[in-house]
Amino acid sequence: MAMMQLLPLPTDAARRNAMRRSRYWRRLKNEEANEKKRLNELTVSMIPQLRLISSDFFVSFFWVWSGSLLRCLAFRFLGPGNSPAILVLKVSVAVPYLVFFAWLGRATKGGSYNPLIVLCYAVSGSFEDFLFSILARIPAQVFGSVVGVFLANSTFPGAFHGPTLNVDINQGTLTEGFLTFIIVIVVLSLKKKNPGSSARRVWISSISKVILHLLGSDITGGIMNPATAFGWAYAQGNHVSKEHIFVYWLAPMEGAVVGVWTCDIFFKHKIVYKNLN
């Protein structure tokens, strides 16, 4: 009868090595699970930001394209004149147009067509929000405006019209900066008195924007929107000119920042600047 060969019992060193390998694989699995969890959390947290960037692009594109269409229709039916009756009619159309885009900003959960609105929130938010606004939201608005101008110029070339600087660069810079400062003060003051969503606040701010636009239309165009100005300037090839940079970018941004700081000083505390369209 053959004798059975007994297997040697594992030594203490072998048992310790086996335990180390077991702990290593468990730790590796835990690290993989934690990494997947972090990636899922990061993806979920990025969804609102990606949605906001998409909303900025869409609202900016629609703002430029629909504005061009309205100007084309106004020129066709009303002509180039600026008689009191024509001005009243234009204002009666422009104010509901701005109110509609204020509603569209709320419907898209913060989508905006104007970098100055985003800047007002960015300068009073966290540094992370500031970087997100400067590096993501404003470029999305600029790109949307460029696409809107391209589509407008392709579908109805007669509406090809951007802001025109009719004075020297110094006067233009002061005009755009001052108009922006005033509208920021008006909007934030209304926001302070009516923190919630108020139809009255939206209508008053829209009327104020139209009035300031008319006051500056013969000087700089009274556009107070760097993204829209860039879209038209890019189509015309003068987006890198000193006049465009100083009048339609630096001046309104400085006016917006000074307006925000002024409101913070007078109101003694910061305001939530979301949804200021």
Side-chain angles (χ1 to χ4, degrees):
M1 182 177 181
M3 296 182 63
M4 295 180 60
Q5 184 177 2
L6 297 176
L7 295 176
L9 294 174
T11 63
D12 291 340
R15 283 196 296 270
R16 285 194 296 271
N17 290 334
M19 292 177 63
R20 289 195 195 97
R21 287 194 295 269
S22 178
R23 287 195 297 268
Y24 170 77
W25 286 112
R26 284 199 300 270
R27 186 170 66 252
L28 186 62
K29 289 182 179 180
N30 290 335
E31 290 177 354
E32 291 179 353
N34 291 335
E35 185 66 23
K36 289 181 179 180
K37 184 179 179 180
R38 285 194 295 268
L39 288 175
N40 290 334
E41 292 176 351
L42 180 62
T43 302
V44 171
S45 64
M46 287 180 62
I47 289 177
Q49 294 181 335
L50 293 176
R51 185 186 297 118
L52 189 56
I53 294 173
S54 302
S55 299
D56 285 333
F57 170 84
F58 168 74
V59 175
S60 299
F61 156 77
F62 191 57
W63 167 263
V64 173
W65 183 82
S66 60
S68 301
L69 176 61
L70 284 179
R71 283 195 300 270
C72 185
L73 294 176
F75 182 82
R76 176 174 298 180
F77 293 104
L78 301 178
N82 284 322
S83 64
I86 292 179
L87 284 177
V88 170
L89 185 58
K90 288 181 178 180
V91 170
S92 64
V93 174
V95 173
Y97 179 72
L98 288 173
V99 172
F100 167 76
F101 271 90
W103 170 84
L104 188 61
R106 292 193 297 271
T108 57
K109 297 182 179 180
S112 175
Y113 56 86
N114 195 332
L116 302 179
I117 298 173
V118 175
L119 186 63
C120 287
Y121 169 68
V123 296
S124 291
S126 64
F127 184 68
E128 181 181 353
D129 292 332
F130 179 81
L131 290 180
F132 173 65
S133 300
I134 298 299
L135 301 179
R137 294 196 64 185
I138 291 179
Q141 293 171 339
V142 171
F143 185 58
S145 299
V146 171
V147 175
V149 170
F150 174 78
L151 182 61
N153 192 34
S154 301
T155 52
F156 30 87
F160 186 87
H161 175 68
T164 303
L165 181 62
N166 297 317
V167 294
D168 62 74
I169 188 172
N170 295 324
Q171 290 179 317
T173 300
L174 289 174
T175 300
E176 280 291 308
F178 180 73
L179 292 177
T180 303
F181 172 78
I182 294 299
I183 194 59
V184 167
I185 293 294
V186 171
V187 172
L188 296 187
S189 299
L190 293 171
K191 183 72 173 180
K192 167 63 179 177
K193 294 179 180 179
N194 299 282
S197 177
S198 171
R200 180 181 178 183
R201 173 173 59 82
V202 172
W203 279 92
I204 293 175
S205 62
S206 298
I207 294 172
S208 302
K209 291 175 184 178
V210 172
I211 293 174
L212 291 174
H213 168 72
L214 293 176
L215 291 176
S217 59
D218 292 333
I219 304 173
T220 62
I223 192 167
M224 297 175 287
N225 188 327
T228 302
F230 181 88
W232 291 110
Y234 182 80
Q236 296 169 336
N238 58 1
H239 56 288
V240 294
S241 65
K242 183 172 65 175
E243 290 79 7
H244 173 73
I245 295 173
F246 277 84
V247 175
Y248 297 106
W249 276 97
L250 295 181
M253 284 190 166
E254 290 176 359
V257 171
V258 174
V260 171
W261 288 345
T262 303
C263 287
D264 286 341
I265 292 173
F266 281 98
F267 295 148
K268 305 299 182 183
H269 62 84
K270 296 185 182 299
I271 308 172
V272 178
Y273 296 114
K274 287 185 178 180
N275 298 330
L276 295 179
N277 295 39

